[in-house]
Amino acid sequence: MLTGCGPTARGAGVEDNSTPPSKPELLSYNPVAKSLADVVSIPAGYTASVLFALGDPISASVPAYKNDGTDGDFEQRAGDHHDGMEWFGLSANGSRDDNATERGLLAMNHEATTDEKLSSFFLHANGGTSTLPRPAAEVDKETAIHGVAVIEVAKSAGKWAYVPGSSQNFRLTALSPIEIAGPARGHAQLITKYSPTGTMTRGTLNNCGTGKTPWGTFLTGEENWFGYFTRGAADDAARGNDKSVTSLKRYGRSQGAASRHGWETGGADDKYQRWNNSKTGASANGSDDYRNEMNGMGYIVEIDAYDKTRMAKKRTALGRFAHESAAFGKAVVGQPLSIYMGDDSRGEYIYKFVTTAVWSAADANPTDRMAVGDKYLDSGKLYAAKFNADGTGTWVELAMTNTAVAGYATYKFADAADIAINTRLAADAVGATKMDRPEWNAVNPANGEIYFTLTNNSNRSIDPTGSQYLPDASNPRAYTDMKGTSKQNGNPNGHLVRLKEGASVSSFSWDVYLFGAEAGADKSLVNISALTADQDFSSPDGLVFSKATGICWIQTDDGAYTDVSNCMMLAAVPGQVGDGGKKTLSYTKADGSKLDIVTPVGKAATESTLKRFLVGPKGSEITGLAETPDGKAIFVNIQHPGEGTAMANVGDATKYQSQWPSNAGYGAGKRPRSATIVITKNDGGKIGT
């Protein structure tokens, strides 16, 4: 194996602004076959090694992980459900070096935990307590494994490893103090017993996708945070049926809603009671309870990965919803920055934030990175996307100057902070396009086009009832997919859309890049992209463009196709918006009438522009990807292997759905663990080429 082959560093702290590939390099590997094996499968000529798994210590004072449910000190260990991830290069003296290829920091999300009946059962010796109240010791473990980890990794003698005792390692958990920044700072809807001024909150939760700012900080998105809170059965009346009730219902917390883990039952201590989102106090403003606590979750959080002494900030100007990743458009001196985001729930929206400040080259390498974050991320305009049937689109501003927002009958907005806190309601007001679960998004470095994964949606129907709705041009499929003898309806396999910005800030064009499908599915309504057995996939989720090669990496979080294959990662050579043509999907409704949906579709993939690169262990999701700047090492997260294990079988390793990574020779015990792997090419070349 060749080592030390990276380009000569251009200087510590200096961003590499060299021109990205005009088109991605060719995919030269042989595709990986679909697999149900409990291993990580990659192409011949590559090596994958486990780097960092649930419970691994990040401090020299913490013992090795026993992986039998007796471990503690999780505030100083790897969290669970490794997810989105970014690379931050380190120089020889440990300072920022954006061109470093053999030493760096990985900042990664720890989204959630493998649970059943309230308990994160693999964390506890006998599976934990599956009834209420939950023991405080169990709750403390579970809150600590959520959040973010920043760890040092380095390559030595051709081998990558993390550095357990690095002084730069740190964790943020669901209880870490975090500052509220942007328009919602100090707002009445953020007043709590913990922060009567509405300027602070505790913790970041259910972190999924990520982003990296042009000034070198880490962005993490808070996704399905609402399920961690409970509300009393009579809370609507306790609140006087005010507009907070409308907000809570819109964000998934109707009165009587139970919490995911029952953390609020851990005891009388404030750190447990904060998970009760009911009005229990007598104050008019919420300073004596946690009725407003949920309003402190659901944001993009900015973290300085290089400086653990700096407090993280929730950037409320970017809106509050089920955030996935935050992808920056190309930074151009003298122009505002654009940040793209998706809301991962059925029928939710795609967003864009445009900064008030215009980009200055001096801000690429500042002495105070969080201050630069204040400059760009706390003031700007937030837009929601409307997709038109003809392949055009409109970015609609969410602001009090928009009469649709200011005059919305369902919810009376008061100010910009109210829009930042209740972004979904503002997007409802302007009639943004309801999408099939917008997950990650990424910007093609070659041409600036923006790609979104739309993972799936069971609510699409050609004969809608209840909460279902018709397919449309940007979400055109409604079909039945068979998983064995079980029917899965709607859009079970998902798709990817891509956008090209127009001449104005409010216009774009778009097409559907790829449709997920089984290779053998009907090509007129399901396998529209004509995927082969080397390309077929379902439920696209993670999405990352390589800046070194231009390859688009697509990762899956699938439940529809898992009878045929475990989740996977594919490499793609993308084209551009408009490189294909229009297709008509013809449906026959129950009453015999016809429904035709015309949608613009990208150029069909070939065997050299799309192929499977990795298949994960049983029960896992493939998510998160970071690369060294030379493209010669990629870091990938394997989330929740063995997720299908029953809690009752926690004491019997022979009944685990997965025993990865212990069956790959990593770590003690046999309980499955989420983990980060590193992949290199045996000839020392760039990954995928």
Side-chain angles (χ1 to χ4, degrees):
M1 179 181 296
L2 301 177
T3 61
C5 294
T8 302
R10 292 174 172 82
V14 179
E15 186 171 5
D16 183 357
N17 289 314
S18 57
T19 303
S22 59
K23 62 179 181 179
E25 299 187 34
L26 295 177
L27 307 177
S28 63
Y29 63 89
N30 291 323
V32 173
K34 295 185 284 284
S35 172
L36 293 171
D38 192 27
V39 299
V40 172
S41 301
I42 57 175
Y46 288 83
T47 297
S49 304
V50 181
L51 188 77
F52 183 64
L54 164 66
D56 280 347
I58 64 169
S59 169
S61 63
V62 176
Y65 193 54
K66 296 190 292 293
N67 194 24
D68 60 3
T70 65
D71 298 281
D73 304 307
F74 276 91
E75 294 84 358
Q76 292 296 318
R77 295 185 183 276
D80 203 357
H81 284 206
H82 300 41
D83 210 308
M85 183 167 45
E86 302 287 343
W87 165 269
F88 296 86
L90 289 174
S91 66
N93 65 8
S95 62
R96 176 183 173 186
D97 180 356
D98 290 338
N99 300 294
T101 60
E102 297 194 355
R103 185 187 179 196
L105 301 172
L106 286 179
M108 73 179 68
N109 290 336
H110 293 297
E111 182 182 18
T113 184
T114 302
D115 62 274
E116 181 185 332
K117 301 175 183 175
L118 304 175
S119 175
S120 306
F121 58 89
F122 280 126
L123 287 184
H124 310 304
N126 296 310
T129 305
S130 59
T131 57
L132 299 178
R134 299 289 312 285
E138 292 183 8
V139 174
D140 291 346
K141 276 190 182 184
E142 293 172 13
T143 54
I145 55 87
H146 286 71
V148 172
V150 176
I151 60 164
E152 182 179 342
V153 297
K155 182 180 179 183
S156 178
K159 303 285 187 181
W160 282 94
Y162 89 101
V163 184
S166 172
S167 62
Q168 294 181 269
N169 294 344
F170 68 95
R171 284 288 317 281
L172 292 182
T173 75
L175 292 174
S176 300
I178 299 181
E179 187 176 347
I180 302 292
R185 178 179 173 83
H187 196 268
Q189 294 180 49
L190 287 167
I191 291 172
T192 65
K193 185 178 179 181
Y194 175 76
S195 181
T197 60
T199 58
M200 294 286 295
T201 189
R202 279 173 294 185
T204 183
L205 196 63
N206 216 253
N207 304 79
C208 193
T210 59
K212 187 176 180 181
T213 68
W215 52 95
T217 58
F218 177 66
L219 300 182
T220 176
E222 299 177 325
E223 190 194 4
N224 292 318
W225 35 271
F226 55 87
Y228 291 81
F229 295 89
T230 187
R231 271 189 77 205
D235 193 48
D236 287 1
R239 293 171 179 266
N241 284 293
D242 63 12
K243 73 176 192 177
S244 72
V245 172
T246 301
S247 170
L248 286 159
K249 289 179 178 178
R250 181 63 179 87
Y251 280 89
R253 288 294 89 179
S254 296
Q255 66 178 5
S259 64
R260 178 173 176 177
H261 295 294
W263 288 347
E264 73 281 358
T265 68
D269 191 288
D270 198 56
K271 67 181 179 179
Y272 307 119
Q273 292 309 303
R274 67 173 294 216
W275 304 108
N276 183 351
N277 205 38
S278 308
K279 181 183 182 297
T280 60
S283 71
N285 64 2
S287 60
D288 56 352
D289 61 17
Y290 288 100
R291 73 189 75 165
N292 295 324
E293 180 74 359
M294 202 172 83
N295 292 336
M297 293 288 180
Y299 301 103
I300 292 293
V301 184
E302 185 179 17
I303 300 164
D304 189 341
Y306 290 106
D307 188 351
K308 64 183 179 183
T309 68
R310 299 302 302 272
M311 185 175 290
K313 294 185 178 185
K314 299 204 175 186
R315 300 298 186 181
T316 63
L318 277 66
R320 175 173 167 264
F321 41 87
H323 278 282
E324 291 277 347
S325 53
F328 282 79
K330 183 175 177 60
V332 179
V333 171
Q335 295 184 13
L337 300 174
S338 293
I339 306 168
Y340 303 91
M341 302 166 287
D343 184 352
D344 180 15
S345 288
R346 291 189 294 271
E348 294 297 345
Y349 309 117
I350 285 172
Y351 297 91
K352 175 175 73 169
F353 178 77
V354 179
T355 63
T356 299
V358 298
W359 178 242
S360 169
D363 288 331
N365 185 32
T367 56
D368 188 338
R369 286 176 286 271
M370 295 302 287
V372 176
D374 295 341
K375 174 181 177 180
Y376 291 103
L377 300 181
D378 285 347
S379 178
K381 293 181 178 180
L382 186 61
Y383 300 84
K386 277 188 177 181
F387 290 77
N388 302 321
D390 63 357
T392 65
T394 304
W395 292 110
V396 186
E397 186 179 356
L398 307 180
M400 294 300 292
T401 54
N402 187 326
T403 56
V405 175
Y408 191 41
T410 300
Y411 183 90
K412 183 63 176 176
F413 286 98
D415 48 33
D418 206 354
I419 294 171
I421 296 168
N422 293 288
T423 311
R424 282 178 171 175
L425 285 159
D428 290 344
V430 303
T433 302
K434 296 181 181 294
M435 307 298 288
D436 288 353
R437 289 185 57 197
E439 293 250 15
W440 291 47
N441 71 102
V443 173
N444 185 344
N447 58 19
E449 294 180 354
I450 310 100
Y451 287 60
F452 279 87
T453 54
L454 303 172
T455 193
N456 55 53
N457 190 352
S458 59
N459 278 4
R460 293 284 174 192
S461 175
I462 59 171
D463 295 293
T465 59
S467 63
Q468 294 178 326
Y469 32 89
L470 285 167
D472 57 39
S474 54
N475 307 272
R477 292 190 302 176
Y479 59 98
T480 298
D481 178 75
M482 298 301 296
K483 183 177 180 180
T485 58
S486 299
K487 290 183 178 180
Q488 302 170 106
N489 296 317
N491 177 17
N493 301 126
H495 59 292
L496 294 92
V497 297
R498 58 186 174 186
L499 289 66
K500 180 181 181 180
E501 291 283 24
S504 72
V505 72
S506 60
S507 67
F508 64 89
S509 56
W510 65 273
D511 65 12
V512 177
Y513 170 49
L514 284 173
F515 290 94
E518 298 181 36
D522 172 64
K523 288 183 171 58
S524 62
L525 290 177
V526 183
N527 189 13
I528 299 168
S529 297
L531 303 179
T532 68
D534 292 330
Q535 303 167 323
D536 57 350
F537 65 94
S538 176
S539 297
D541 188 340
L543 186 70
V544 177
F545 273 92
S546 166
K547 290 184 178 179
T549 64
I551 290 172
C552 178
W553 296 101
I554 302 167
Q555 301 169 318
T556 70
D557 178 15
D558 185 32
Y561 203 21
T562 48
D563 55 331
V564 175
S565 179
N566 301 336
C567 287
M568 61 186 67
M569 184 169 82
L570 302 96
V573 176
Q576 59 188 16
V577 171
D579 61 9
K582 292 189 175 182
K583 293 194 176 182
T584 300
L585 283 68
S586 297
Y587 298 102
T588 302
K589 303 182 74 173
D591 63 3
S593 62
K594 300 295 183 181
L595 174 66
D596 287 344
I597 305 292
V598 180
T599 187
V601 177
K603 183 180 179 181
T606 68
E607 62 181 10
S608 61
T609 62
L610 178 68
K611 61 180 74 175
R612 194 176 299 107
F613 182 85
L614 178 152
V615 179
K618 292 181 178 179
S620 69
E621 168 189 349
I622 310 304
T623 182
L625 186 148
E627 67 175 354
T628 53
D630 58 6
K632 295 181 179 182
I634 62 171
F635 305 89
V636 177
N637 281 328
I638 309 295
Q639 187 181 114
H640 60 64
E643 184 184 40
T645 303
M647 182 176 178
N649 295 328
V650 72
D652 185 353
T654 65
K655 295 182 179 179
Y656 296 167
Q657 182 190 27
S658 171
Q659 291 186 11
W660 190 90
S662 68
N663 64 2
Y666 187 87
K670 294 186 177 181
R671 297 184 180 203
R673 303 160 67 186
S674 295
T676 304
I677 62 173
V678 57
I679 301 174
T680 54
K681 196 173 183 182
N682 296 349
D683 66 5
K686 296 178 182 179
I687 306 299
T689 64

